[in-house]
Amino acid sequence: MASILRTEKGGYSKADAFRKITEYNILLAEIQNGLSKDEAFDKMRAIKEKPINRVKEGFFSKQGFSVEDTDNYISELENQIIDALSNGDM
């Protein structure tokens, strides 16, 4: 995953991004194992609402994940979840 997400000063907190991506991947696995659509949509909504904080900006700012790359990656995961729920499989 780190090769997919570039880093940038003042980007998203790596810990927050990893947390959210991991939660989406766990949800995908749960869907594969028969989680109901209602439960899946509730979990997806809860994950989506969790913020991803940015690292401190400024001259001495830390490196975080690229906001654009992270948003695109999360959008792809959300689409995979919606497709899995629409098709009934992965």
Side-chain angles (χ1 to χ4, degrees):
M1 177 184 353
S3 62
I4 294 172
L5 303 176
R6 296 172 291 177
T7 58
E8 65 185 17
K9 280 191 175 189
Y12 281 143
S13 159
K14 290 180 179 182
D16 286 354
F18 277 130
R19 175 194 41 79
K20 193 164 198 162
I21 290 167
T22 299
E23 289 180 10
Y24 275 128
N25 281 315
I26 290 170
L27 178 55
L28 279 168
E30 290 175 336
I31 292 167
Q32 285 180 320
N33 290 321
L35 184 69
S36 75
K37 286 185 180 187
D38 289 339
E39 287 179 286
F41 278 118
D42 287 343
K43 284 187 175 192
M44 184 175 166
R45 187 176 309 112
I47 296 167
K48 189 175 184 92
E49 290 176 359
K50 293 181 181 180
I52 302 177
N53 297 308
R54 294 180 77 150
V55 295
K56 183 179 175 184
E57 292 189 49
F59 185 73
F60 295 107
S61 65
K62 294 181 180 180
Q63 295 282 325
F65 284 132
S66 161
V67 171
E68 179 182 3
D69 290 353
T70 305
D71 288 344
N72 289 337
Y73 190 76
I74 287 173
S75 178
E76 289 175 19
L77 285 171
E78 290 170 348
N79 287 334
Q80 286 179 17
I81 291 167
I82 290 168
D83 288 347
L85 291 170
S86 297
N87 298 330
D89 58 35
M90 290 292 289

